[in-house]
Amino acid sequence: MDISMRQLTEIPRAEALSLLAGATLGRIVFTAHALPAVRLVSHIVEEAAIVIRSHYGAAIIRVRPEGDGGPRERAANDIVVAYEADEFDSDAGLGWSVAVTGTAALVRDPGDIARYERMLPAWNKDGGIAGQFVRICPEIVTGYRFACGTG
Amino acid sequence: MDISMRQLTEIPRAEALSLLAGATLGRIVFTAHALPAVRLVSHIVEEAAIVIRSHYGAAIIRVRPEGDGGPRERAANDIVVAYEADEFDSDAGLGWSVAVTGTAALVRDPGDIARYERMLPAWNKDGGIAGQFVRICPEIVTGYRFACGTG
């Protein structure tokens, strides 16, 4: 058990997004059945947006059919989610974590979907549901580096 | 960029909690200023409860002072949070992720606090706020192993 002290240093937004872009796994935070939920997913960063592939795509976005035939997709663009990625080098005792809060929407453009299918691995479960792509536009970006000292 | 397929296999609850107990870092999911938030923290597992140490302890639990002098601590025991830990061996292409949803409460017993101060490292920020301890009782436990193949 590591009981050493850990020192935190904040990371500027641009550097935090750059670290996120260099990682391949992260955790999407959403609401499922009115409860907080979190799932490990793979991601890419493209033009400052985070794109994930998830079986939970529909649950994350929670598109509610409008009784009056209203705009489904507009509602789907208003969902606020959080996303987190981190890396920790236990040998060096150094790591970083970046947490993002932003709005999420299902990717619906066929060209985008085809491109992301080549870029993001599918996570197959129970015979291969490939999942949906969700694009997250970061608004609040919080990053820090941490170091484990001996203090 | 790894574009291989990934196979998911569900992990039974007891095994998932055992994997969680063997990890030292995880991500606490909570609501801050009415927005979803996620932060990397350190944890221990004790008698099937997850105990974390965080600067965000008060924000996670969100104890609201009752105008009528009502029971603060009871309100603090009703907060639902999510918690996630994972490990990925990129050489072997194998990993696991465990996500928990449960109720969280600030640890208030002085004996427990003293014990956890010895067991859980402090994350010092801006000169050393040691943070609060939060105990999470897991209710929903979801775990899976994933393997990266060549399919």
Side-chain angles (χ1 to χ4, degrees):
Chain A
M1 178 74 61
D2 174 13
I3 56 164
S4 63
M5 306 294 274
R6 296 172 190 234
Q7 191 69 36
L8 299 183
T9 311
E10 288 195 16
I11 304 174
R13 178 187 177 102
E15 185 183 351
L17 289 174
S18 173
L19 286 168
L20 195 68
T24 56
L25 296 178
R27 294 101 199 150
I28 179 77
V29 171
F30 57 105
T31 301
H33 308 298
L35 293 174
V38 53
R39 288 292 182 274
L40 185 71
V41 296
S42 51
H43 73 260
I44 56 169
V45 173
E46 186 186 67
E47 293 174 9
I50 303 161
V51 180
I52 67 163
R53 183 173 194 164
S54 174
H55 301 291
Y56 301 94
I60 293 165
I61 301 300
R62 290 208 304 170
V63 180
R64 290 195 193 87
E66 303 281 343
D68 62 353
R72 279 192 182 194
E73 296 191 10
R74 182 178 176 83
N77 287 332
D78 289 338
I79 301 296
V80 178
V81 300
Y83 193 73
E84 192 265 1
D86 54 63
E87 284 183 9
F88 177 58
D89 180 337
S90 56
D91 291 332
L94 295 172
W96 59 264
S97 172
V98 171
V100 166
T101 302
T103 51
L106 277 179
V107 175
R108 297 175 186 278
D109 180 86
D112 286 346
I113 290 172
R115 189 158 34 93
Y116 296 146
E117 280 177 344
R118 293 190 298 270
M119 299 170 76
L120 271 170
W123 297 56
N124 288 320
K125 181 183 172 185
D126 300 335
I129 304 163
Q132 293 90 29
F133 297 101
V134 175
R135 186 183 283 117
I136 304 163
C137 294
E139 294 181 5
I140 305 167
V141 178
T142 307
Y144 56 85
R145 293 184 187 279
F146 54 95
C148 301
T150 55
Chain B
M1 177 73 62
D2 173 14
I3 57 164
S4 62
M5 307 295 273
R6 294 172 191 234
Q7 191 69 36
L8 299 184
T9 311
E10 288 195 16
I11 303 174
R13 178 187 176 103
E15 185 183 351
L17 289 174
S18 173
L19 286 168
L20 194 69
T24 55
L25 295 177
R27 295 100 198 151
I28 179 79
V29 171
F30 57 104
T31 302
H33 308 297
L35 293 173
V38 53
R39 288 292 181 273
L40 185 71
V41 296
S42 51
H43 73 259
I44 55 167
V45 173
E46 187 187 65
E47 294 175 7
I50 303 160
V51 180
I52 67 163
R53 184 173 194 162
S54 174
H55 301 291
Y56 300 94
I60 293 165
I61 301 299
R62 291 208 304 170
V63 179
R64 290 195 193 88
E66 305 279 344
D68 60 355
R72 278 192 181 193
E73 297 191 10
R74 183 179 174 82
N77 287 333
D78 289 338
I79 301 297
V80 178
V81 301
Y83 193 74
E84 193 267 358
D86 54 63
E87 283 183 10
F88 178 58
D89 180 336
S90 56
D91 293 331
L94 295 172
W96 59 264
S97 171
V98 172
V100 166
T101 302
T103 51
L106 277 179
V107 174
R108 298 175 186 279
D109 178 87
D112 286 347
I113 290 171
R115 189 157 36 92
Y116 296 146
E117 280 176 346
R118 293 191 298 271
M119 299 170 76
L120 271 169
W123 296 57
N124 289 320
K125 181 182 174 187
D126 300 335
I129 304 163
Q132 292 91 27
F133 297 100
V134 175
R135 186 183 285 119
I136 304 164
C137 294
E139 294 180 5
I140 305 167
V141 178
T142 307
Y144 56 85
R145 293 183 186 280
F146 54 95
C148 301
T150 56

